[in-house]
Structures are given as C-alpha cells and as structure tokens.
Amino acid sequence: MRKIWEQREPREKVLIGIMLTLFVLFFGWLLALKPIVEYPKAQKRAYEQASADLKIVKAGEAALQGQIIGVEKTVLSSQNFQSTITGSAGKHGLKISRRQPKGDNELSVWLENAVTPAFYAWAEELTSTYNMTVAQVHINRNDDGSVRVNITYRLES
C-alpha cells in the first residue's frame, strides 16, 4: 500500500486527501452528528403523539365505562342482556366464536377475526346505548390485521 502511495504524483496525493476528508466529513455528519442533532426533535414529536394517543384512550375508556354524562341509556333486563350483545355483534358483521355467561349480569365474548373498526364501533354502541360497561378486555392483533378479542360486558343495575 505504501508503495502505491509513493508512486502517486503530488497532485494525486492532494486530490486523494481531499476526497478522503470529504468522505469522512460526509459520513461523520450522516452517521454521527445528524442523529444527535435530530434526536430532541424526534423525541418531542414522539411525546406529542403519545400525549394525543393518551387523550384518545382516556376518552374511549370513559365512553366504555359509561361515564359520559347526559346520555340517556336503554335499561336492559338480565334476560335481554345476552341476546342484545349477540344481536348487536351480528349487525356489525362480527362473528362470536364463544360466549360464556358469568351469572346473570356478566357475559364474556370471544371474537377470533374481528375487523378492528367494526369491533370498536360495536363496543362503543353497546356501552353508550345500554346500561352495560366493559369489565375486562384482551385484544391481540392477528397477522392479517384483524384482532382476536376476549371482552367481558357487565350489566349495570
């Protein structure tokens, strides 16, 4: 390598030196300095997005728990509770794969391949229209973008 360097003309050595300097400056900026400079901005954007998501989740939680004030709800009896949940799921295009009653006032429902917007619309409709709340929910994403859900509704008296 040294022999090759010594065979170069002084003008070539200067050009190679300039090229290596530019190479080091460019990749130093690209791989080290730019990420360091951009990090605070990226973290601020992530924080703002997380704050907005938190507001949405809190609003959704309040809606699912039936804490929206001033909304008149239809009072269901324990006899109509299960059939209302099942019928409403069918209207939203959701297929219930399993139902498990927990006494007269709770019902656990399993959905295997639910379309996410349809599921949330169904859950919101039930909790905002009828005297029921969500007692527990487990949501897992499937590979095809649908969700696998286990949700327990509680009839409030």
Side-chain angles (χ1 to χ4, degrees):
M1 185 69 140
R2 186 177 185 105
K3 186 177 181 182
I4 295 173
W5 180 253
E6 289 173 356
Q7 290 176 351
R8 297 289 139 227
E9 296 288 325
R11 186 178 59 107
E12 290 176 334
K13 289 179 182 180
V14 170
L15 289 175
I16 291 172
I18 292 171
M19 179 189 69
L20 289 175
T21 303
L22 290 175
F23 182 80
V24 168
L25 288 175
F26 176 74
F27 282 103
W29 168 255
L30 186 66
L31 299 175
L33 294 176
K34 185 176 179 185
I36 291 171
V37 170
E38 294 291 326
Y39 184 77
K41 294 176 190 173
Q43 291 306 302
K44 183 178 179 184
R45 284 191 301 272
Y47 173 77
E48 289 170 353
Q49 182 62 47
S51 295
D53 291 345
L54 180 62
K55 286 179 185 177
I56 292 169
V57 168
K58 283 186 176 183
E61 179 186 29
L64 288 175
Q65 293 301 326
Q67 296 173 357
I68 299 174
I69 299 172
V71 176
E72 199 63 35
K73 294 185 176 185
T74 303
V75 178
L76 291 175
S77 64
S78 57
Q79 293 83 14
N80 295 334
F81 176 56
Q82 293 182 22
S83 62
T84 301
I85 292 173
T86 304
S88 179
K91 290 176 188 174
H92 285 275
L94 300 171
K95 183 179 176 188
I96 296 175
S97 61
R98 181 176 163 206
R99 295 179 351 161
Q100 181 177 351
K102 295 180 181 179
D104 290 338
N105 294 333
E106 281 192 19
L107 177 67
S108 289
V109 176
W110 282 261
L111 307 167
E112 293 300 323
N113 293 310
V115 177
T116 307
F119 165 71
Y120 285 116
W122 172 62
E124 194 278 327
E125 176 186 294
L126 287 174
T127 56
S128 65
T129 306
Y130 303 104
N131 61 324
M132 66 178 77
T133 59
V134 174
Q136 184 177 9
V137 65
H138 297 282
I139 302 173
N140 296 307
R141 185 178 183 276
N142 295 325
D143 291 335
D144 63 355
S146 63
V147 289
R148 191 172 48 256
V149 179
N150 173 8
I151 186 166
T152 302
Y153 287 103
R154 179 178 297 136
L155 185 64
E156 299 294 325
S157 41

